[in-house]
Amino acid sequence: MLNERDRRIIDAPNFASVATLMPDGSPQASTIWIDRDGDDVLFNTAEGRVKTDNIRRDGRVAISVFDHQDPYEQVVLRGTVVDVTTEGADEHIDLLAKKYTGADRYPWRDPGEQRVIVRVRPDHVSG
């Protein structure tokens, strides 16, 4: 579903926004770091955050990412969360920290925090 341009924008260190749904149906948006596995988009968050609670209740999300080199180039997708896992999540946030900050380890980890990887399968992609 993702084309070459979409993959290039997602694979670069471009910030994204994810919109999730609150219990009353209203949207909630967060700025995130993203990653990709094939056509699935991955992001990393922590248990207890609003977006984590929202996606466990309703897996429908929208993600928007623009190319910081050319903000008129963007990828906008709607999709469904198909997996939320703690397996490999600590290593994944460190990989994202390397991609986005150059640091070998995620520098803002809270003591006792449980990281999770969220896997989104796109249903609709536009640019």
Side-chain angles (χ1 to χ4, degrees), residues 18-21 43 51-62 78-84 118-121 123:
V18 61
T20 63
L21 297 171
F43 66 91
K51 65 181 157 290
T52 310
D53 294 342
N54 285 347
I55 61 173
R56 287 194 188 282
R57 188 186 60 265
D58 187 331
R60 296 175 295 166
V61 299
R78 292 190 309 269
T80 305
V81 172
V82 295
D83 190 35
V84 179
V118 178
R119 178 178 293 269
V120 177
R121 182 132 320 133
D123 299 319

Side-chain angles (χ1 to χ4, degrees), residues 5-6 16 61 64 115:
R5 183 193 66 87
D6 299 339
V61 299
S64 175
R115 301 300 307 186

Side-chain angles (χ1 to χ4, degrees), residues 7-25:
R7 288 183 183 100
R8 176 183 51 79
I9 292 171
I10 291 168
D11 291 347
N14 293 310
F15 291 97
S17 293
V18 61
T20 63
L21 297 171
M22 297 294 289
D24 66 359

Side-chain angles (χ1 to χ4, degrees), residues 104-120:
D104 290 330
R105 295 193 41 87
Y106 179 64
W108 300 286
R109 192 178 316 254
D110 289 331
E113 174 178 79
Q114 179 63 66
R115 301 300 307 186
V116 296
I117 301 171
V118 178
R119 178 178 293 269
V120 177

Side-chain angles (χ1 to χ4, degrees), residues 7-75:
R7 288 183 183 100
R8 176 183 51 79
I9 292 171
I10 291 168
D11 291 347
N14 293 310
F15 291 97
S17 293
V18 61
T20 63
L21 297 171
M22 297 294 289
D24 66 359
S26 62
Q28 184 272 336
S30 299
T31 303
I32 57 171
W33 293 344
I34 59 172
D35 194 8
R36 185 179 58 80
D37 180 17
D39 280 349
D40 290 348
V41 175
L42 310 175
F43 66 91
N44 194 300
T45 187
E47 291 290 0
R49 301 236 172 112
V50 171
K51 65 181 157 290
T52 310
D53 294 342
N54 285 347
I55 61 173
R56 287 194 188 282
R57 188 186 60 265
D58 187 331
R60 296 175 295 166
V61 299
I63 297 175
S64 175
V65 56
F66 69 90
D67 186 339
H68 73 274
Q69 298 292 332
D70 180 0
Y72 295 100
E73 288 288 322
Q74 64 179 341
V75 178

